[in-house]
Amino acid sequence: MTDKYCVIGHPIAHSKSPGIHAAFAHATGQDLNYERCLAPLDGFAATVQRLVHEGYKGANVTVPFKIEAAQLATRLNERARAAGAVNTLVFADGEIVGDNTDGPGLVADITRNAGVPLKDKRVLLLGAGGAARGVLLPFLQEGPREIVIANRTLATAQALARDFGAYGIPVSATGFAGITGSFDIVVNATSASLSSDLPPIPASVFCPSTLALDMMYGNKPTVFMEFAASQGAATRDGLGMLVEQAAEAFALWRGVRPDTADVLNQMRP
């Protein structure tokens, strides 16, 4: 019998996830069907309960339901608890288990696809919202030398730094104007690229050995990527993260982690 999965969101027609998971299933010989599921803004919980009743094995969750998914889950793993948000649900044994594969997906894209280890690196994380929170624990588990969180509202960055200050690695907070020195890795976790804006950061954060990664992706480099490249930095968009987080979810559901290289190459414009 073909197992059923889906991605839940509002809107959802734009999602690339069905194509990604279909490619993974073909490559690994898994018998599954993965579709888009549009949930009403006030009907996420009811949608999940319907999916469970209809025999679905799991689901991905995208905007605007990731926080609600964390509240709905009957059990959360450590990285989902740390993120305060869930993007992957597993339906098994009467439970709704919540996970967050965004952080591991970003780590995989940086360390495997870009070939840049996080260990002993100085990392700058731009933004202090849900996207930033979701990647902090997986980053810290890689053993960087330091993580600096920069945000327009300093108090928000300070609160996030406090939440993740107990993992034995320095995590500090600053406003954009207070950023000092250059960094090995700079991650744009703000939503500025959606409106073609640039976070107000100094050019000095970049150097020729810097990897600058924007969590957003599109048919051309973001303004952030263009700015970083003009300072000599290597750049990546968020497409690799999208594919890698999907592979992490697939592994949770199916017990096998698919190779991502071919899928990532196929999705590049």
Side-chain angles (χ1 to χ4, degrees):
M1 178 184 243
T2 301
D3 291 332
K4 296 184 292 184
Y5 301 87
C6 68
V7 55
I8 310 168
H10 189 116
I12 200 60
H14 66 286
S15 175
K16 297 180 183 296
S17 293
I20 294 172
H21 284 277
F24 288 164
H26 177 75
T28 57
Q30 296 289 307
D31 184 13
L32 62 85
N33 182 62
Y34 187 108
E35 61 195 32
R36 298 177 184 89
C37 179
L38 178 67
L41 291 175
D42 60 351
F44 174 75
T47 298
V48 171
Q49 294 299 338
R50 174 180 63 80
L51 295 172
V52 171
H53 179 73
E54 292 178 0
Y56 281 70
K57 299 295 185 180
N60 285 130
V61 181
T62 187
V63 292
F65 299 122
K66 290 185 179 184
I67 293 175
E68 192 172 350
Q71 298 166 343
L72 180 66
T74 58
R75 179 161 57 89
L76 298 174
N77 68 8
E78 182 185 12
R79 60 195 183 195
R81 287 195 301 272
V86 159
N87 79 332
T88 303
L89 296 171
V90 180
F91 308 143
D93 302 323
E95 283 199 294
I96 301 174
V97 182
D99 200 343
N100 192 309
T101 65
D102 285 334
L106 182 57
V107 167
D109 188 50
I110 291 173
T111 59
R112 284 205 291 264
N113 299 335
V116 177
L118 279 154
K119 185 171 178 59
D120 297 327
K121 297 299 175 64
R122 189 170 192 240
V123 178
L124 175 61
L125 186 59
L126 304 175
R133 177 176 286 275
V135 303
L136 267 168
L137 179 57
F139 268 37
L140 289 166
Q141 290 172 333
E142 293 293 307
R145 182 170 83 249
E146 173 190 15
I147 296 180
V148 177
I149 304 168
N151 193 55
R152 195 177 301 275
T153 304
L154 176 58
T156 307
Q158 289 172 329
L160 190 57
R162 283 194 300 271
D163 288 346
F164 287 87
Y167 290 90
I169 291 167
V171 180
S172 60
T174 182
F176 288 130
I179 303 172
T180 58
S182 63
F183 293 82
D184 300 299
I185 299 169
V186 181
V187 176
N188 183 18
T190 75
S191 59
S193 293
L194 289 174
S195 52
S196 297
D197 291 329
L198 180 70
I201 56 175
S204 57
V205 304
F206 303 108
C207 65
S209 62
T210 301
L211 173 65
L213 189 147
D214 198 325
M215 286 191 183
M216 303 297 174
Y217 62 91
N219 292 329
K220 62 180 182 179
T222 65
V223 173
F224 168 80
M225 292 168 64
E226 290 176 338
F227 179 59
S230 73
Q231 307 305 314
T235 62
R236 290 185 72 80
D237 65 9
L239 187 60
M241 175 183 173
L242 174 71
V243 173
E244 294 293 347
Q245 67 79 25
E248 291 288 334
F250 192 94
L252 283 172
W253 294 328
R254 311 302 297 181
V256 57
R257 195 185 194 283
D259 182 73
T260 56
D262 287 344
V263 175
L264 186 53
N265 288 334
Q266 291 168 17
M267 294 186 66
R268 285 289 176 200

